[in-house]
Amino acid sequence: MSGDEQRLFIGGSWVAPDNGFYEVIDPATEGVVGRAPEASRDQVHAAAAAAREAFPAWSRTPAEERAAVLGRAADLIQRHFLPYAELAQAESGATTGTARGMQVGVGVARFRRYAKAEPVEQPLPPQINEAGPFGKAAVMGALAVRQPVGVVTCITSYNNPWANPAGKIAPALAMGNTVVVKPAPQDPLSVYRMAEALEAAGAPPGTVNVVSGSRAEAGEAAVDCPDVDMVSFTGSTAVGQRIAEVCGRGMKRQLMELGGKGAAVVFDDADLKSAVQGIGTTFSFYSGQICTAPTRVLAQRGVYDRLVEQLAAYAGYLTVGDPREQGTVVGPVISAAHRDRVESYVELGRKEGARVVTGGERPALASGFYVAPTLLADCTSDMRVVREEIFGPVVVVLPFDDEEEAIALANDSDYGLIDYVWSGDIARAFRVARRLRAGGVGVNTVGRNMEAPFGGFKKSGVGRDVGSYALHAYSEVQAIVWPG
């Protein structure tokens, strides 16, 4: 490397980019964090070719040895925990607690999770074949074997430059795949540190490749390259749809974790304190830049006014400012362009007839891309602020009368990633949860079980990952059958 100029990582070598460098900007200070490489289409294809060359040997490496590489990488990342968290914070604008715990900390935990070899063979019950090819019955044994897909392109999101890439790279490598990582253009430098850790941990050349770019060229090349067998993407539904079209033409496997507009159904008998704290994470966690956020609140009329009042008070207590300061709860959004986008949605909500209860004004800070926590009440299901993903610290609230209306409103969405139900009647909460068209439902919580399958219904994605489900996502199932 030269100064603050990052190189690409291709085939085990650090390579100068064909298309120069671009600046990575700190969303809090608007200063330059570093200069990221702008890969050419040819360089992305070279990365995929390196991954293709490395695949046969890596896929035949015993699972225990692959797992050991991941374990050593986790140890190396842990060793550099604080500087890596500082870099993640500078790139993404995360608060100190989030950068340490939810970014680098979760990244380490995911490498450790997949540093455990798991069985890939499942014996199936013997079956009597009544009409075999030779005209007589036979007892047939069978084995279901999980095989690696091949070369996997991992395209990661900007809201978490550690946990999201680790959640793709670690299970893909554990299953014997090789990877080409195209990080989000806003915060790619952390992903190169991850590659350094894997290289030092003994990942063979070509097993892991990282190619970045601020333009569409690098991402498009990483998807349409003939050497790529699968694309794992986290990002917007619109981009996911374009990727899926390309994958469809080449019959490439897909894992898509896309947009969300999570419904939070709050019944009259709910614990309001718990509901407010859960919904309030939309204001603080990644400054609302998270697809799992409960951004669309459906409140039963008996509790509607109190919930709106308490949410507004909660938002008012949150300190917005420099994420490096100890008392900061809400940091900046990722860029000036995204701040403008979020603000335009708030203004649109006003025009559509929503009531701005709190927020709606740009915080008076000298630098940085800040949006005040904003609550829009008295919304209706046809408003764009209710139907479209804003991806910022903005919560919309709609009233409902009864259980059936709540379910209908919650399901009246193009999205279906994670919904939430708050009720003192647990039987009702689970009854409602089972009728929600979402890949996950939180009952009286916004917490996650990191072994539970994660993914969405409808336009929120294709496939499931996390825990063992991620190992399944990065594998093909092969049947081996023999006479018993």
Side-chain angles (χ1 to χ4, degrees), residues 219-243:
E220 290 173 353
V223 171
D224 65 25
C225 179
D227 278 321
V228 170
D229 301 297
M230 175 181 172
V231 176
S232 174
F233 171 71
T234 299
S236 73
T237 295
V239 174
Q241 287 171 321
R242 295 200 295 272
I243 291 173

Side-chain angles (χ1 to χ4, degrees), residues 7 53 55 81 100 107-108 138 150 154 161 197 310 317 341 393 415 424:
R7 297 295 192 259
E53 184 177 355
F55 172 69
F81 187 88
R100 292 179 181 180
V108 170
C154 301
Q310 291 183 30
Y317 290 133
R341 178 181 181 274
Y415 299 106

Side-chain angles (χ1 to χ4, degrees), residues 225-315:
C225 179
D227 278 321
V228 170
D229 301 297
M230 175 181 172
V231 176
S232 174
F233 171 71
T234 299
S236 73
T237 295
V239 174
Q241 287 171 321
R242 295 200 295 272
I243 291 173
E245 291 173 0
V246 176
C247 289
R249 291 195 293 271
M251 295 304 293
K252 300 178 193 283
R253 300 296 179 263
Q254 303 168 45
L255 178 61
M256 298 280 182
E257 197 258 283
L258 307 177
K261 192 73 175 178
V265 180
V266 183
F267 286 99
D268 286 346
D269 61 353
D271 178 341
L272 277 194
K273 182 179 180 181
S274 171
V276 168
Q277 289 177 340
I279 295 164
T281 60
T282 301
F283 299 132
S284 56
F285 195 44
Y286 298 122
S287 300
Q289 298 168 114
I290 184 165
C291 51
T292 58
T295 58
R296 186 168 50 108
V297 178
L298 312 177
Q300 198 162 15
R301 290 193 187 275
V303 76
Y304 179 88
D305 290 336
R306 281 186 294 146
L307 182 62
V308 169
E309 179 183 351
Q310 291 183 30
L311 279 172
Y314 185 92

Side-chain angles (χ1 to χ4, degrees), residues 9-12 41-56 151-153 178-180 205-209 211 221-222 225-229:
F9 189 55
I10 300 174
R41 185 176 182 83
D42 287 345
Q43 288 181 309
V44 176
H45 282 198
R52 172 63 66 203
E53 184 177 355
F55 172 69
V151 176
V152 180
T153 284
T178 54
V179 298
V180 176
T207 306
V208 178
N209 307 270
V211 286
C225 179
D227 278 321
V228 170
D229 301 297

Side-chain angles (χ1 to χ4, degrees), residues 111 127 148 152 192 196 198 206 278 296 323 336 363 395-396:
F111 273 100
Q127 184 182 52
V152 180
Y192 286 104
E196 287 177 351
L198 284 161
R296 186 168 50 108
V395 171
V396 301

Side-chain angles (χ1 to χ4, degrees), residues 2 77 99 114 116-117 122 161 218 246 427 438:
S2 171
I77 295 168
Y114 297 106
K116 300 183 295 184
Q122 179 185 0
V246 176

Side-chain angles (χ1 to χ4, degrees), residues 10-286:
I10 300 174
S13 298
W14 296 94
V15 180
D18 288 342
N19 293 341
F21 301 86
Y22 69 94
E23 293 181 340
V24 176
I25 302 299
D26 185 325
T29 67
E30 302 183 45
V32 177
V33 179
R35 287 164 55 78
E38 192 83 60
S40 68
R41 185 176 182 83
D42 287 345
Q43 288 181 309
V44 176
H45 282 198
R52 172 63 66 203
E53 184 177 355
F55 172 69
W58 180 249
S59 63
R60 292 194 301 268
T61 299
E64 293 78 10
E65 293 182 25
R66 299 197 299 257
V69 170
L70 300 178
R72 290 194 295 270
D75 292 340
L76 288 165
I77 295 168
Q78 185 68 50
R79 198 175 302 162
H80 297 90
F81 187 88
L82 288 181
Y84 285 172
E86 289 171 1
L87 175 60
Q89 181 173 60
E91 289 191 285
S92 69
T95 61
T96 300
T98 296
R100 292 179 181 180
M102 299 306 298
Q103 293 188 346
V104 182
V106 172
V108 170
R110 288 183 169 172
F111 273 100
R112 293 204 194 287
R113 164 63 180 84
Y114 297 106
K116 300 183 295 184
E118 294 194 9
V120 295
E121 298 181 357
Q122 179 185 0
L124 303 177
Q127 184 182 52
I128 297 176
N129 187 333
E130 297 288 357
F134 304 108
K136 60 180 181 179
V139 177
M140 305 300 294
L143 192 66
V145 181
R146 291 204 168 271
Q147 300 278 17
V149 177
V151 176
V152 180
T153 284
C154 301
I155 303 178
T156 65
S157 61
Y158 69 70
N159 59 353
N160 197 321
W162 279 91
N164 185 261
K168 298 179 185 296
I169 296 168
L173 293 179
M175 274 305 309
N177 302 283
T178 54
V179 298
V180 176
V181 188
K182 165 57 178 70
Q186 297 91 341
D187 49 11
L189 302 177
S190 291
V191 182
Y192 286 104
R193 303 290 81 73
M194 193 179 299
E196 287 177 351
L198 284 161
E199 179 187 31
T207 306
V208 178
N209 307 270
V210 184
V211 286
S212 56
S214 64
R215 302 189 290 267
E217 178 181 352
E220 290 173 353
V223 171
D224 65 25
C225 179
D227 278 321
V228 170
D229 301 297
M230 175 181 172
V231 176
S232 174
F233 171 71
T234 299
S236 73
T237 295
V239 174
Q241 287 171 321
R242 295 200 295 272
I243 291 173
E245 291 173 0
V246 176
C247 289
R249 291 195 293 271
M251 295 304 293
K252 300 178 193 283
R253 300 296 179 263
Q254 303 168 45
L255 178 61
M256 298 280 182
E257 197 258 283
L258 307 177
K261 192 73 175 178
V265 180
V266 183
F267 286 99
D268 286 346
D269 61 353
D271 178 341
L272 277 194
K273 182 179 180 181
S274 171
V276 168
Q277 289 177 340
I279 295 164
T281 60
T282 301
F283 299 132
S284 56
F285 195 44
Y286 298 122

